[in-house]
Amino acid sequence: MTGRSIPHESAALHVTGQAGYADDLPLPADALHACLGLSECAHGRIARLDLDAVRAAPGVVDVLTAADLPGVNDVSPNGLGDDPILADGVVRFWGQPLFAVIARTRDQARRAARLAGVDYDPLPHVLTPQDAQAAGTGYVTDPLTLRRGDAEADMARAPHRISGRIAIGGQDHFYLEGQIALALPGEGDEVSLFVSTQHPSEVQHMVAHALNVASHAVTVSVRRMGGGFGGKETQMNLFACVAAIAAKRLGRAVKIRPDRDDDMIATGKRHDFVVDYQVGFDDQGRIAAVQADLAARCGFSADLSGPVTDRALFHADNAYFYPSVRLSSHPMRTNTVSNTAFRGFGGPQGVLTAERMIEEIAYATGRDTLAVRRANLYRPGDLTPYHQQIEDDLLPGLFDQLEQGCDYAARRQAVLDWNSRGGVIRRGIALTPVKFGISFTATHFNQAGALVHVYADGSIALNHGGTEMGQGLHTKVAQVVADAFQCPLDRVRITATSTGKVPNTSATAASSGTDLNGMAALDAADQIKARLVAFVAERWQCPPDQVRFAPGQIMAGDTAIPWEQAIRAAYMARVHLSAAGFYKTPKIHWDRATGKGRPFYYFACGAACSEVAVDTLTGEYRILRSDILHDVGRSLNPALDIGQIEGAFVQGAGWLTSEELWWSDDGRLRTHAPSTYKIPLASDRPRIFNVALADSVNAEPTVGRSKAVGEPPFMLGISVFEAIGHAVASVADYARAPRLDAPATPERVLTAIERLRP
């Protein structure tokens, strides 16, 4: 069953509108609706908070402030206590929740929330990493430095040195389904929540703390999400807590679903970075030493900024060996919404830093960027900046195959010939790699559980700790279980993820959902299979080593027992047909204090070649063609994997081209709706788009010897950014690096063109 392109388990439901999401759940007749009242000050003390008009508004049942919370006023995922549910005395960003209105209808709650009278005593605010460094606002969490060799001395000895800076913009998750939570009060201290979250166990723990109850009193369920991309890893906690507190306080169901504007204003995003780098290299473009300081806009609290900025350092080498290196993170505190996880989790910002340095070297030496990339690729035995040894040698082969398959050399020459004729439209081409580490860098998150029931009629119920957000996780894990039992896929049904079934789960993040939950489900299936083998061997008088599972049946030597018959017989013989599976990733370890270890179980690799056309009068551009070759190991489901690669690539290209976050000087996010924030359209995809899976097998014993696919191809969108840079550089005959900042909006492209013109 694995290795086949099985349709997504909810595909038909998706396209017919029958797939149920949290907003589709029928509400009890007396259900209430909540809406948050948001601050209109970037940083200040609350001098007056007058909620009389709010309480008197039509339909309002209750209003919650920080003083009304029964437990801990905090949803920080790291236990630092710096992320309040509702502001208490001081606001630290424009859009911070101050209070929550509970009303009979959603419209009444929204209207009432606008009636508050609030006065602030303003305090100084900073919005950018540079401003934070200048003002000395400090870090939201401890920084990290990775070292290997003597970067300072080797930099001084290098034949050539370049210093530069790149500004890398953030990104809004823009999930189709926004944040939403429905809380149903139960008896005693119990409460049940139906939410859109990537981390049900964390929601459970946060709600328990906010209510001052034990975790066993809180049950969190997730059937599916309409997208997450990291934005529902920690950001759901606040909404779930508000709904749960109100539901228990009033004894009625409470639902909260913020408007898109409020959702974008009040929830965190991908971290903006400003990177100062220095690279030393020789005449052939081989890197001798690298030093870089990566400063991030983290927002007012830590959230996940520590591991995000750590992972940016882990990937600031991308696919390249740095003989000597010093990389430092600077997680800066700013008066903006607290930034959070986003597909790639800091890795894309690190990879873009590496590619900028490669680009600098190529233009300085007059070499093709691909030649410089090849000269610096990792080889087996090389050490990363965090001292993990490289064990495979996939990328040179991927480069060879993609370069030949997309006819890179001839197309690059055609681009050069086109540009040599001058003209308004310039073309650019780039072939870029990705090497992405797979595992949570917080080692304890690399565990998963699953629950498998085989019913007396032979049908199978499967539950695991992962969450489905459209990526096909449930489909893949169902394939794993069906393959283990050799039964048809329609005999396996995955039920909603629930903390009441599988406890202490990790977030569905870090591209590890299938690796972890697939192995946990396989462990559960293997336990049941072992019991069935023993039973069949005894009942049918066959040595256990001659019992095997075949399609739709269990073989006892030469005797074939239909699956349903064997299961019914096992049930009648009181064989236990349920099992809880568990898996923890082996080999990994990480010592943050020394900056050394093996934080990643393995690496997923890929390469993309993109060609663009740029209008030098307007800065506008089109992606003419993109070819991708990506390593997913032995694919569990090629159709789903190709879909993930295509989506990740387009989302990555959007991050680097059109998706621009913009704050006004007073700290107000101005790009807070589809009218001002531009995600890629269908018309923005490459005109020619070729995606292929590399013929490879994971060297590590993952489920089916597959590899993760969710995040790594996101960084292949960098090939578009680099190709735009190549087209821009043509106006100066490729003599100078274009030094584009991201996103490369038409305005930035045009500015770079004017700067480079002779």
Side-chain angles (χ1 to χ4, degrees):
M1 193 61 64
T2 55
R4 295 170 54 190
S5 291
I6 304 296
H8 191 288
E9 51 96 21
S10 296
L13 300 178
H14 286 154
V15 299
T16 59
Q18 298 179 72
Y21 295 86
D23 200 31
D24 299 317
L25 294 172
L27 299 179
D30 63 348
L32 301 171
H33 297 262
C35 181
L36 297 173
L38 305 181
S39 73
E40 295 184 352
C41 174
H43 190 202
R45 294 185 179 88
I46 302 173
R48 181 181 68 95
L49 179 59
D50 184 353
L51 300 175
D52 289 346
V54 179
R55 292 189 173 94
V60 171
V61 176
D62 200 3
V63 178
L64 300 178
T65 66
D68 299 312
L69 307 185
V72 180
N73 183 19
D74 180 59
V75 285
S76 58
N78 42 48
L80 293 178
D82 61 352
D83 203 343
I85 299 168
L86 299 174
D88 189 5
V90 177
V91 296
R92 292 179 170 83
F93 74 96
W94 192 300
Q96 184 171 0
L98 302 178
F99 59 91
V101 183
I102 318 300
R104 291 186 177 87
T105 70
R106 182 169 177 267
D107 183 64
Q108 288 172 333
R110 291 172 61 225
R111 292 179 183 277
R114 305 298 189 264
L115 301 178
V118 190
D119 293 331
Y120 306 93
D121 291 331
L123 296 170
H125 65 268
V126 295
L127 303 179
T128 68
Q130 306 97 303
D131 291 343
Q133 289 175 316
T137 58
Y139 297 144
V140 295
T141 188
D142 291 337
L144 174 67
T145 294
L146 301 179
R147 292 182 182 274
R148 201 192 63 254
D150 190 339
E152 291 78 7
D154 289 343
M155 185 73 70
R157 287 192 290 265
H160 307 283
R161 294 183 295 277
I162 291 176
S163 298
R165 167 178 284 189
I166 180 172
I168 304 170
Q171 187 178 22
D172 189 87
H173 302 86
F174 216 93
Y175 22 64
L176 187 61
E177 175 203 33
Q179 303 282 356
I180 184 168
L182 169 63
L184 304 178
E187 59 187 37
D189 59 1
E190 294 178 356
V191 63
S192 297
L193 290 112
F194 299 88
V195 297
S196 185
T197 181
Q198 296 171 235
H199 202 343
S201 286
E202 186 168 278
V203 170
Q204 176 191 29
H205 298 152
M206 293 298 174
V207 169
H209 293 157
L211 289 173
N212 196 25
V213 300
S215 290
H216 65 207
V218 181
T219 302
V220 178
S221 298
V222 183
R223 176 58 186 95
R224 60 173 61 83
M225 286 170 277
F229 311 118
K232 296 176 180 176
E233 185 171 343
T234 64
Q235 299 293 289
M236 169 49 59
N237 298 338
L238 182 147
F239 301 96
C241 287
V242 168
I245 291 167
K248 293 303 293 182
R249 179 180 168 98
L250 300 171
R252 296 164 68 175
V254 175
K255 178 178 177 178
I256 182 169
R257 176 169 62 85
D259 290 347
R260 176 67 66 177
D261 298 74
D262 287 353
D263 192 322
M264 292 181 73
I265 290 168
T267 62
K269 315 183 184 312
R270 182 184 296 282
H271 291 66
D272 307 65
F273 274 69
V274 174
V275 182
D276 291 300
Y277 57 87
Q278 186 176 17
V279 57
F281 54 97
D282 64 17
D283 293 341
Q284 286 71 46
R286 287 190 294 265
I287 293 173
V290 165
Q291 297 183 82
D293 290 276
L294 291 79
R297 170 160 45 199
C298 296
F300 80 101
S301 68
D303 193 80
L304 296 174
S305 292
V308 166
T309 52
D310 284 2
R311 188 175 277 263
L313 298 191
F314 291 142
H315 290 86
D317 58 340
N318 190 20
Y320 312 116
F321 176 57
Y322 300 160
S324 292
V325 59
R326 192 272 302 160
L327 304 169
S328 298
S329 69
H330 301 276
M332 304 308 301
R333 186 185 304 278
T334 56
N335 295 114
T336 52
V337 65
S338 189
N339 284 327
T340 190
F342 200 127
R343 197 175 198 169
F345 205 78
Q349 295 93 319
V351 171
L352 190 59
T353 298
E355 295 304 327
R356 164 54 61 86
M357 290 187 286
I358 291 291
E359 185 181 71
E360 292 270 25
I361 295 169
Y363 286 105
T365 58
R367 295 164 62 85
D368 179 4
T369 53
L370 179 57
V372 177
R373 290 184 173 102
R374 281 188 178 278
N376 289 287
L377 284 178
Y378 273 116
R379 302 293 179 180
D382 288 342
L383 291 181
T384 65
Y386 43 93
H387 297 257
Q388 178 167 343
Q389 188 174 73
I390 299 298
E391 297 174 347
D392 58 35
D393 197 22
L394 287 176
L395 274 171
L398 285 177
F399 266 28
D400 289 343
Q401 188 176 344
L402 181 61
E403 182 180 7
Q404 294 170 16
C406 75
D407 199 17
Y408 172 81
R411 288 172 56 207
R412 181 175 186 273
Q413 187 58 53
V415 165
L416 297 178
D417 292 343
W418 172 283
N419 292 338
S420 69
R421 295 192 289 268
V424 171
I425 305 300
R426 299 298 178 95
R427 293 189 174 181
I429 190 169
L431 195 159
T432 65
V434 63
K435 173 189 67 67
F436 195 79
I438 304 299
S439 291
F440 287 96
T441 50
T443 304
H444 65 281
F445 281 141
N446 294 286
Q447 59 175 301
L451 184 63
V452 174
H453 303 314
V454 179
Y455 293 105
D457 66 350
S459 62
I460 300 167
L462 165 62
N463 192 272
H464 59 84
T467 54
E468 176 63 51
M469 60 193 95
Q471 81 279 39
L473 172 62
H474 284 351
T475 307
K476 285 186 174 182
V477 178
Q479 285 181 263
V480 169
V481 171
D483 197 59
F485 288 118
Q486 288 292 290
C487 67
L489 187 61
D490 62 9
R491 300 298 278 160
V492 181
R493 180 179 296 274
I494 292 190
T495 57
T497 306
S498 172
T499 58
K501 295 179 181 178
V502 177
N504 306 319
T505 60
S506 299
T508 303
S511 303
S512 61
T514 301
D515 283 3
L516 295 175
N517 295 288
M519 290 296 276
L522 183 60
D523 177 54
D526 285 344
Q527 293 178 48
I528 298 171
K529 287 174 65 178
R531 298 176 200 144
L532 288 171
V533 166
F535 164 70
V536 168
E538 180 181 0
R539 173 64 61 88
W540 276 272
Q541 297 297 298
C542 171
D545 62 1
Q546 293 185 24
V547 176
R548 60 186 178 86
F549 290 76
Q553 56 193 1
I554 300 178
M555 301 296 299
D558 295 329
T559 303
I561 309 119
W563 170 255
E564 288 80 2
Q565 178 185 334
I567 295 304
R568 182 68 184 177
Y571 164 72
M572 296 301 293
R574 298 181 294 178
V575 175
H576 184 34
L577 297 175
S578 176
F582 181 77
Y583 175 75
K584 60 180 181 180
T585 309
K587 295 186 177 181
I588 55 175
H589 57 91
W590 169 243
D591 185 344
R592 194 174 188 274
T594 62
K596 297 180 180 181
R598 178 178 177 153
F600 303 121
Y601 189 30
Y602 62 86
F603 296 99
C605 300
C609 178
S610 291
E611 184 176 349
V612 303
V614 175
D615 187 326
T616 59
L617 294 182
T618 66
E620 296 173 294
Y621 42 81
R622 287 183 175 180
I623 308 174
L624 302 177
R625 175 177 169 179
S626 292
D627 296 81
I628 295 174
L629 182 63
H630 197 71
D631 163 39
V632 298
R634 184 179 290 152
S635 176
L636 296 176
N637 189 316
L640 290 180
D641 285 345
I642 288 174
Q644 282 290 287
I645 293 167
E646 291 174 342
F649 174 86
V650 171
Q651 191 176 45
W655 164 55
L656 293 170
T657 57
S658 66
E659 297 187 49
E660 184 176 28
L661 295 168
W662 194 83
W663 281 263
S664 54
D665 291 342
D666 58 2
R668 193 182 321 189
L669 179 67
R670 295 296 189 174
T671 48
H672 56 78
S675 58
T676 51
Y677 185 81
K678 301 300 184 183
I679 64 172
L681 304 175
S683 57
D684 294 321
R685 68 187 294 277
R687 270 50 178 178
I688 301 172
F689 199 10
N690 302 313
V691 178
L693 303 180
D695 183 13
S696 66
V697 175
N698 196 340
E700 300 295 345
T702 54
V703 59
R705 296 284 181 168
S706 63
K707 285 189 177 184
V709 71
E711 293 172 302
F714 181 94
M715 279 139 284
L716 297 179
I718 293 173
S719 63
V720 173
F721 184 77
E722 295 286 302
I724 293 171
H726 186 231
V728 169
S730 71
V731 302
D733 200 24
Y734 314 102
R736 295 158 60 193
R739 289 198 169 185
L740 279 170
D741 287 333
T745 59
E747 294 84 357
R748 284 201 177 97
V749 170
L750 189 58
T751 299
I753 289 170
E754 294 305 313
R755 173 170 45 84
L756 290 179
R757 285 192 189 277

